[in-house]
Amino acid sequence: MFVYMIIGLVGVPIFAGFSGGMGTFLSPTFGFILSFMGIAFAAGKITENCRGFKACVTGAFAGFAVNYGIGVTWMYIALSLWAGEGAGISYTAAWASMIPFLVKDGVLAFVAAVRRHPS
Protein backbone atom coordinates (compact mmCIF):
# COMPACT_ATOMS: atom_id res chain seq x y z
CA MET A 1 0.00 0.00 0.00
CA PHE A 2 2.89 2.34 0.79
CA VAL A 3 4.51 1.63 -2.58
CA TYR A 4 1.16 2.19 -4.35
CA MET A 5 0.82 5.57 -2.64
CA ILE A 6 4.41 6.62 -3.44
CA ILE A 7 4.11 5.54 -7.09
CA GLY A 8 0.96 7.61 -7.42
CA LEU A 9 2.51 10.62 -5.69
CA VAL A 10 5.54 10.62 -8.02
CA GLY A 11 3.17 11.05 -10.94
CA VAL A 12 2.10 7.66 -12.23
CA PRO A 13 -1.65 7.97 -12.91
CA ILE A 14 -2.81 5.02 -10.79
CA PHE A 15 -5.29 6.73 -8.52
CA ALA A 16 -9.01 7.07 -9.29
CA GLY A 17 -9.71 8.92 -12.50
CA PHE A 18 -6.18 8.18 -13.74
CA SER A 19 -4.77 10.84 -11.44
CA GLY A 20 -1.37 11.01 -9.83
CA GLY A 21 1.29 13.47 -8.74
CA MET A 22 2.00 15.49 -5.62
CA GLY A 23 -1.11 17.60 -6.18
CA THR A 24 -3.15 14.54 -5.30
CA PHE A 25 -1.88 14.95 -1.73
CA LEU A 26 -4.09 18.03 -1.38
CA SER A 27 -7.14 16.28 -2.83
CA PRO A 28 -10.08 15.83 -0.45
CA THR A 29 -10.06 12.10 -1.22
CA PHE A 30 -6.35 11.47 -0.59
CA GLY A 31 -7.13 10.44 2.99
CA PHE A 32 -8.77 7.30 1.66
CA ILE A 33 -5.53 6.41 -0.17
CA LEU A 34 -3.56 7.23 2.97
CA SER A 35 -5.84 4.94 4.98
CA PHE A 36 -4.94 1.86 2.91
CA MET A 37 -1.88 1.14 5.05
CA GLY A 38 -3.92 1.40 8.25
CA ILE A 39 -6.63 -0.84 6.81
CA ALA A 40 -4.12 -3.56 5.92
CA PHE A 41 -2.53 -3.35 9.36
CA ALA A 42 -5.77 -3.32 11.38
CA ALA A 43 -7.55 -6.05 9.45
CA GLY A 44 -4.41 -8.17 9.23
CA LYS A 45 -3.59 -7.88 12.93
CA ILE A 46 -7.10 -8.90 13.96
CA THR A 47 -7.33 -11.88 11.63
CA GLU A 48 -3.75 -13.21 11.73
CA ASN A 49 -4.09 -15.27 14.91
CA CYS A 50 -7.82 -15.85 15.07
CA ARG A 51 -9.32 -17.34 11.97
CA GLY A 52 -12.96 -17.73 13.00
CA PHE A 53 -15.98 -16.01 11.50
CA LYS A 54 -16.12 -13.45 14.31
CA ALA A 55 -12.49 -12.47 13.65
CA CYS A 56 -13.20 -12.11 9.93
CA VAL A 57 -16.17 -9.84 10.57
CA THR A 58 -14.24 -7.85 13.20
CA GLY A 59 -11.24 -7.48 10.89
CA ALA A 60 -13.39 -6.39 7.96
CA PHE A 61 -15.19 -3.77 10.03
CA ALA A 62 -11.95 -2.60 11.67
CA GLY A 63 -10.58 -1.91 8.19
CA PHE A 64 -13.85 -0.22 7.29
CA ALA A 65 -13.61 2.02 10.38
CA VAL A 66 -9.96 2.92 9.71
CA ASN A 67 -10.77 3.74 6.08
CA TYR A 68 -13.62 6.08 6.87
CA GLY A 69 -12.03 7.52 10.02
CA ILE A 70 -8.95 8.67 8.14
CA GLY A 71 -10.67 9.34 4.81
CA VAL A 72 -13.52 11.49 6.08
CA THR A 73 -11.28 13.37 8.49
CA TRP A 74 -8.85 14.17 5.65
CA MET A 75 -11.76 15.23 3.43
CA TYR A 76 -13.09 17.52 6.16
CA ILE A 77 -9.67 19.12 6.70
CA ALA A 78 -9.09 19.52 2.95
CA LEU A 79 -12.46 21.13 2.36
CA SER A 80 -12.22 23.30 5.47
CA LEU A 81 -8.63 24.50 5.19
CA TRP A 82 -7.19 23.93 1.74
CA ALA A 83 -10.24 24.68 -0.40
CA GLY A 84 -10.34 28.24 0.83
CA GLU A 85 -12.50 30.39 3.05
CA GLY A 86 -16.18 29.54 2.85
CA ALA A 87 -15.63 26.28 0.95
CA GLY A 88 -15.50 24.26 4.15
CA ILE A 89 -18.18 22.02 5.53
CA SER A 90 -18.91 20.84 9.04
CA TYR A 91 -17.50 17.54 10.24
CA THR A 92 -21.07 16.25 10.58
CA ALA A 93 -21.83 17.24 6.98
CA ALA A 94 -18.66 15.47 5.82
CA TRP A 95 -19.85 12.25 7.48
CA ALA A 96 -23.43 12.74 6.25
CA SER A 97 -22.15 13.03 2.67
CA MET A 98 -20.63 9.57 3.04
CA ILE A 99 -23.85 7.75 4.06
CA PRO A 100 -24.47 6.06 0.68
CA PHE A 101 -20.85 4.86 0.60
CA LEU A 102 -20.95 3.77 4.25
CA VAL A 103 -23.98 1.59 3.59
CA LYS A 104 -22.49 0.03 0.45
CA ASP A 105 -19.07 -0.53 2.01
CA GLY A 106 -20.58 -1.90 5.21
CA VAL A 107 -22.45 -4.52 3.19
CA LEU A 108 -19.30 -5.28 1.17
CA ALA A 109 -17.22 -5.62 4.36
CA PHE A 110 -19.69 -8.17 5.69
CA VAL A 111 -19.77 -10.04 2.37
CA ALA A 112 -15.96 -10.12 2.33
CA ALA A 113 -15.94 -11.60 5.83
CA VAL A 114 -18.51 -14.23 4.87
CA ARG A 115 -16.57 -15.17 1.73
CA ARG A 116 -13.32 -15.38 3.73
CA HIS A 117 -14.89 -17.66 6.33
CA PRO A 118 -18.12 -19.15 4.92
CA SER A 119 -18.93 -21.46 7.84
Coordinates of all heavy atoms in Angstrom, one line a residue, residues 1-41:
M1 N 0.8 -1.2 0.0 CA 0.0 0.0 0.0 C 0.9 1.3 0.0 O 0.5 2.2 -0.7 CB -0.9 0.0 1.2 CG -1.9 -1.2 1.2 SD -3.2 -1.1 0.0 CE -2.5 -1.8 -1.5
F2 N 2.0 1.2 0.8 CA 2.9 2.3 0.8 C 3.5 2.6 -0.6 O 3.5 3.7 -1.1 CB 4.0 2.1 1.8 CG 5.0 3.2 1.9 CD1 4.7 4.4 2.5 CD2 6.3 3.1 1.4 CE1 5.6 5.4 2.6 CE2 7.2 4.1 1.4 CZ 6.8 5.3 2.0
V3 N 3.9 1.5 -1.2 CA 4.5 1.6 -2.6 C 3.5 2.2 -3.6 O 3.8 3.1 -4.4 CB 5.1 0.3 -3.1 CG1 5.5 0.3 -4.5 CG2 6.3 -0.1 -2.2
Y4 N 2.2 1.7 -3.5 CA 1.2 2.2 -4.3 C 1.0 3.7 -4.2 O 0.9 4.4 -5.1 CB -0.1 1.5 -4.0 CG -1.4 2.1 -4.5 CD1 -1.7 2.0 -5.9 CD2 -2.3 2.8 -3.7 CE1 -2.9 2.5 -6.4 CE2 -3.4 3.3 -4.2 CZ -3.7 3.2 -5.6 OH -4.9 3.8 -6.1
M5 N 1.0 4.1 -2.9 CA 0.8 5.6 -2.6 C 2.0 6.4 -3.2 O 1.8 7.4 -3.8 CB 0.7 5.8 -1.1 CG 0.4 7.2 -0.8 SD 0.2 7.5 1.0 CE 1.9 7.1 1.6
I6 N 3.2 5.9 -3.0 CA 4.4 6.6 -3.4 C 4.4 6.7 -5.0 O 4.7 7.7 -5.6 CB 5.7 6.0 -2.9 CG1 5.7 6.1 -1.4 CG2 6.9 6.6 -3.5 CD1 5.7 7.5 -0.8
I7 N 4.1 5.6 -5.6 CA 4.1 5.5 -7.1 C 3.1 6.6 -7.6 O 3.4 7.3 -8.6 CB 3.8 4.1 -7.6 CG1 5.0 3.2 -7.4 CG2 3.4 4.1 -9.1 CD1 4.7 1.7 -7.6
G8 N 2.0 6.6 -7.0 CA 1.0 7.6 -7.4 C 1.4 9.0 -7.2 O 1.2 9.9 -8.0
L9 N 2.1 9.3 -6.0 CA 2.5 10.6 -5.7 C 3.7 11.1 -6.6 O 3.8 12.3 -6.8 CB 2.9 10.7 -4.2 CG 1.8 10.7 -3.2 CD1 2.3 10.6 -1.8 CD2 0.9 11.9 -3.4
V10 N 4.5 10.2 -7.1 CA 5.5 10.6 -8.0 C 5.0 10.9 -9.4 O 5.8 11.4 -10.3 CB 6.7 9.6 -8.1 CG1 7.4 9.5 -6.7 CG2 6.3 8.3 -8.6
G11 N 3.8 10.6 -9.7 CA 3.2 11.1 -10.9 C 2.6 10.0 -11.8 O 1.9 10.3 -12.8
V12 N 2.7 8.7 -11.4 CA 2.1 7.7 -12.2 C 0.6 7.7 -12.0 O 0.1 7.7 -10.9 CB 2.7 6.3 -11.8 CG1 2.0 5.2 -12.6 CG2 4.2 6.2 -12.0
P13 N -0.2 7.8 -13.1 CA -1.7 8.0 -12.9 C -2.4 6.7 -12.5 O -3.1 6.1 -13.3 CB -2.1 8.4 -14.3 CG -1.1 7.8 -15.2 CD 0.2 7.8 -14.5
I14 N -2.2 6.3 -11.3 CA -2.8 5.0 -10.8 C -4.0 5.2 -9.8 O -4.6 4.3 -9.4 CB -1.7 4.1 -10.2 CG1 -1.0 4.8 -9.0 CG2 -0.8 3.6 -11.2 CD1 -0.1 3.8 -8.2
F15 N -4.2 6.5 -9.4 CA -5.3 6.7 -8.5 C -6.6 6.9 -9.3 O -6.6 6.9 -10.6 CB -5.0 8.0 -7.7 CG -3.8 8.0 -6.8 CD1 -3.1 9.1 -6.6 CD2 -3.4 6.8 -6.2 CE1 -1.9 9.1 -5.8 CE2 -2.3 6.8 -5.4 CZ -1.6 7.9 -5.2
A16 N -7.7 7.0 -8.6 CA -9.0 7.1 -9.3 C -9.0 8.2 -10.3 O -8.4 9.2 -10.1 CB -10.1 7.3 -8.3
G17 N -9.6 7.9 -11.4 CA -9.7 8.9 -12.5 C -8.4 9.1 -13.2 O -8.1 10.2 -13.8
F18 N -7.5 8.1 -13.1 CA -6.2 8.2 -13.7 C -5.4 9.4 -13.3 O -4.7 10.1 -14.0 CB -6.3 8.1 -15.3 CG -6.9 6.8 -15.8 CD1 -8.1 6.8 -16.3 CD2 -6.2 5.7 -15.7 CE1 -8.7 5.7 -16.7 CE2 -6.7 4.5 -16.1 CZ -8.0 4.5 -16.7
S19 N -5.5 9.7 -12.0 CA -4.8 10.8 -11.4 C -3.5 10.4 -10.7 O -3.3 9.2 -10.4 CB -5.6 11.6 -10.5 OG -6.0 10.8 -9.4
G20 N -2.6 11.3 -10.5 CA -1.4 11.0 -9.8 C -0.6 12.3 -9.7 O -1.0 13.4 -10.1
G21 N 0.5 12.3 -9.0 CA 1.3 13.5 -8.7 C 1.1 14.0 -7.3 O 0.2 13.7 -6.6
M22 N 2.0 14.9 -7.0 CA 2.0 15.5 -5.6 C 0.7 16.3 -5.3 O 0.3 16.4 -4.2 CB 3.2 16.3 -5.4 CG 4.5 15.5 -5.2 SD 4.4 14.3 -3.9 CE 4.5 15.3 -2.5
G23 N 0.1 16.8 -6.4 CA -1.1 17.6 -6.2 C -2.2 16.8 -5.6 O -3.1 17.3 -5.0
T24 N -2.2 15.5 -5.8 CA -3.2 14.5 -5.3 C -3.2 14.6 -3.8 O -4.2 14.3 -3.2 CB -2.9 13.1 -5.8 OG1 -2.6 13.1 -7.2 CG2 -4.0 12.2 -5.5
F25 N -2.0 14.9 -3.2 CA -1.9 15.0 -1.7 C -2.9 15.9 -1.1 O -3.4 15.8 0.0 CB -0.4 15.3 -1.4 CG -0.2 15.4 0.1 CD1 0.0 14.2 0.8 CD2 -0.1 16.6 0.8 CE1 0.2 14.3 2.2 CE2 0.1 16.7 2.1 CZ 0.3 15.5 2.8
L26 N -3.2 17.0 -1.9 CA -4.1 18.0 -1.4 C -5.5 17.7 -1.7 O -6.4 18.5 -1.3 CB -3.7 19.4 -1.9 CG -2.3 19.9 -1.5 CD1 -2.0 21.2 -2.1 CD2 -2.3 20.0 0.0
S27 N -5.8 16.7 -2.4 CA -7.1 16.3 -2.8 C -8.0 15.9 -1.6 O -7.4 15.2 -0.7 CB -7.1 15.1 -3.8 OG -8.3 14.5 -3.9
P28 N -9.2 16.2 -1.6 CA -10.1 15.8 -0.5 C -10.2 14.3 -0.3 O -10.4 13.8 0.8 CB -11.4 16.4 -0.8 CG -11.2 17.5 -1.7 CD -9.9 17.1 -2.5
T29 N -9.9 13.6 -1.3 CA -10.1 12.1 -1.2 C -8.7 11.4 -0.9 O -8.7 10.2 -0.8 CB -10.7 11.5 -2.5 OG1 -9.9 11.9 -3.6 CG2 -12.1 12.0 -2.7
F30 N -7.6 12.1 -0.8 CA -6.3 11.5 -0.6 C -6.3 10.7 0.7 O -5.6 9.7 0.9 CB -5.2 12.5 -0.7 CG -3.9 11.8 -0.5 CD1 -3.3 11.1 -1.6 CD2 -3.1 11.9 0.6 CE1 -2.1 10.5 -1.5 CE2 -1.9 11.3 0.8 CZ -1.4 10.6 -0.3
G31 N -7.1 11.1 1.7 CA -7.1 10.4 3.0 C -7.5 9.0 2.9 O -7.1 8.1 3.6
F32 N -8.4 8.7 1.9 CA -8.8 7.3 1.7 C -7.6 6.5 1.1 O -7.4 5.3 1.5 CB -10.0 7.2 0.7 CG -11.2 7.8 1.3 CD1 -11.6 9.1 1.0 CD2 -12.0 7.0 2.2 CE1 -12.8 9.6 1.6 CE2 -13.1 7.5 2.8 CZ -13.5 8.8 2.5
I33 N -6.8 7.1 0.3 CA -5.5 6.4 -0.2 C -4.6 6.2 1.0 O -4.0 5.2 1.2 CB -4.9 7.2 -1.3 CG1 -5.8 7.2 -2.5 CG2 -3.5 6.6 -1.7 CD1 -5.4 8.2 -3.6
L34 N -4.4 7.3 1.8 CA -3.6 7.2 3.0 C -4.0 6.1 4.0 O -3.2 5.5 4.6 CB -3.6 8.6 3.6 CG -2.5 8.9 4.7 CD1 -1.1 8.8 4.2 CD2 -2.8 10.3 5.3
S35 N -5.3 5.9 4.0 CA -5.8 4.9 5.0 C -5.5 3.5 4.6 O -5.7 2.6 5.4 CB -7.3 5.1 5.1 OG -8.0 4.6 4.0
F36 N -5.2 3.2 3.4 CA -4.9 1.9 2.9 C -3.9 1.1 3.8 O -4.1 -0.1 4.1 CB -4.5 1.8 1.5 CG -5.6 2.2 0.5 CD1 -5.2 2.5 -0.8 CD2 -6.9 2.3 0.8 CE1 -6.2 2.9 -1.8 CE2 -7.9 2.7 -0.1 CZ -7.5 3.0 -1.4
M37 N -2.9 1.8 4.2 CA -1.9 1.1 5.1 C -2.5 0.8 6.4 O -2.2 -0.3 6.9 CB -0.7 2.0 5.2 CG 0.1 2.2 3.9 SD 1.5 3.3 4.1 CE 0.6 4.9 4.1
G38 N -3.3 1.7 7.0 CA -3.9 1.4 8.2 C -4.9 0.3 8.1 O -5.1 -0.5 9.1
I39 N -5.6 0.2 7.0 CA -6.6 -0.8 6.8 C -5.9 -2.2 6.8 O -6.3 -3.1 7.5 CB -7.4 -0.7 5.5 CG1 -8.2 0.6 5.5 CG2 -8.2 -1.9 5.2 CD1 -8.7 1.0 4.1
A40 N -4.9 -2.3 6.0 CA -4.1 -3.6 5.9 C -3.6 -4.0 7.3 O -3.7 -5.2 7.7 CB -3.0 -3.4 4.9
F41 N -3.1 -3.0 8.0 CA -2.5 -3.3 9.4 C -3.6 -3.8 10.3 O -3.5 -4.8 11.0 CB -1.8 -2.2 10.0 CG -1.2 -2.4 11.3 CD1 -0.1 -3.2 11.5 CD2 -1.9 -2.0 12.5 CE1 0.4 -3.5 12.7 CE2 -1.4 -2.3 13.7 CZ -0.2 -3.0 13.9

